Amino acid sequence: MEIRLNQMCKISIKCLALLLSVLGFSSACFGQNPLIRDQFTADPTARVIHGRIYVFPSHDIKCDSTQGRPDWFCMEDYHVFSSSNLTDWEDHGMILSQYQVPWADSESFSMWAPDAIEKDGKFYFYFPSKAKTRELENDAPGVNGSSFKIGVAVSDQPGGPYTPENQPIAKVDGIDPNVFIDHDGQAYLYWSQHHFYGAKLKPNMKELDSEVFTLKEFPAKGLKEGPFVFERNGIYYMTYPHVANKTERIEYAIADNPLGPFEYQGVIMDESPVGCWTNHQSVVEFEDQWYLFYHHNDYSPDFDKNRSIRADSLFFDQEGKIQKVIPTLRGIGLTAATGHIKMDRYSSKSSQGYKFVFLDEGNPFLGWKSVFDKKGAWVRYNQVDFGKGDLNEFCAKIKTNNAKGVLELRLSHTKGELVSTIDLDSNQDWTEYRSVVESEIAGAQDLVLVFRGKGKVEVDWVSFGKI
Ligand code: FUB
């Protein structure tokens, strides 16, 4: 690979690392959908803990023929991720696996959607799994036809590791645990198995403290699962995926107390037009903004049991109704101008002449690239953080095929201020092109890349530095 400076000189890859550090370019930059880029993740529960946002997802893997059930979910452990800025996510590593849970069937690979919550300085992680049925002490499994039980594991810190209890929670059969703690300190456990169920939890957070209530006010037709309850301004919101048509969409209902009765309100996210049969949500407020965490099969378009977590902003109207969330690739958080900005995770694009494809079909975790093949095609990426305004060089990793013309970098929209221009070579393998930034750019800006030319241009990433 070569690096191209001001269209004039080419420098070998050996000099690249040194040069980038001198120029102030760095490779770390995230804050787009999907959120986690090196493994499959699904069913995200997001919680704010000590000023950081933690996400407790499940962990899809690809099973071989000796593991789990063919062509089905395959999940043997959990990781936890956290962020202080919604952009850079730290993987706290594996926090619990099926091999550590005394009651779980460690050949079932069924560590499905979890939840976690803090109570009195301890962290409680709730997870479903198929049970080794003969070894259960506390009740007969499958009372309502489920071979799934729900367990709890405890840690002194949110990032784990978590120590599982020896037995699952008695009288709880089903999947998708969710815990809600009300203002009075009372904790509730919800789960699903054909219906939604709810019960009070004892202060030890490990045992039920009431009868099991069947929450009956939900659609009888079409699978529903993944209950997630939160409270805002005295309204208790029950959110859940439901198959109203072909695949799961996210709906919600409200009540004036945690156990209902709930009244259906509407759809938070429509079913995905392509790709993923399941969806699974949580709703969280972080630094005065509400977010919906959910999942899609971005890295596995042909097999929807390998999913990836996403997040988008969520808004309420004046009456507290949730406005529909349209899934985006851009996601949440500011993106640093000095990192690799992936325009293929765009906010918007031209209707013709622009698409994104995997960089390498054989390794989706390498991500995507932008492809422009029509004059005037463009892509916009919102909320790039330029800080004080001292970045004066634009860099883009580009590949061309019979191309002629320029790539323009503009602010806000296709006719917005032109801040840099790259002259394209006609047939060039991946090359880092650099050009001067013509004006001072500070703060958060929306970037637009416009192709003014002919042929095909591919862009891996763009970035900014100092000359
Ligand atoms: O991840 C396995 C299952 O898929 C979850 O438990 C459901 O909510 C669905 O997302």
Side-chain angles (χ1 to χ4, degrees), residues 43 58 73 75 112-113 175-176 225-226 278-280 295 307:
D43 309 321
S58 40
F73 301 108
M75 301 147 99
W112 286 15
I175 60 168
D176 294 356
E225 53 186 356
T278 63
N279 203 345
H280 188 115
H295 70 222
R307 300 155 295 178

Side-chain angles (χ1 to χ4, degrees), residues 178 188-200 210-220 224 227-229 236-240 253 255 257-263:
N178 165 236
Y188 297 83
L189 177 68
Y190 303 87
W191 65 98
S192 65
Q193 186 65 38
H194 310 306
H195 294 288
F196 293 145
Y197 300 92
K200 289 183 176 177
S210 73
E211 62 180 292
V212 173
F213 296 93
T214 305
L215 309 178
K216 291 202 176 117
E217 315 85 35
F218 296 91
K224 56 189 180 300
F228 180 88
V229 172
Y236 296 82
Y237 294 79
M238 164 69 87
T239 64
Y240 55 95
N257 80 79
L259 290 171
F262 287 90
E263 188 184 341

Side-chain angles (χ1 to χ4, degrees), residues 407-420:
L407 263 186
E408 292 177 350
L409 178 71
R410 293 178 177 267
L411 298 185
S412 303
H413 50 84
T414 51
K415 297 206 168 97
E417 185 184 356
L418 177 64
V419 290
S420 200

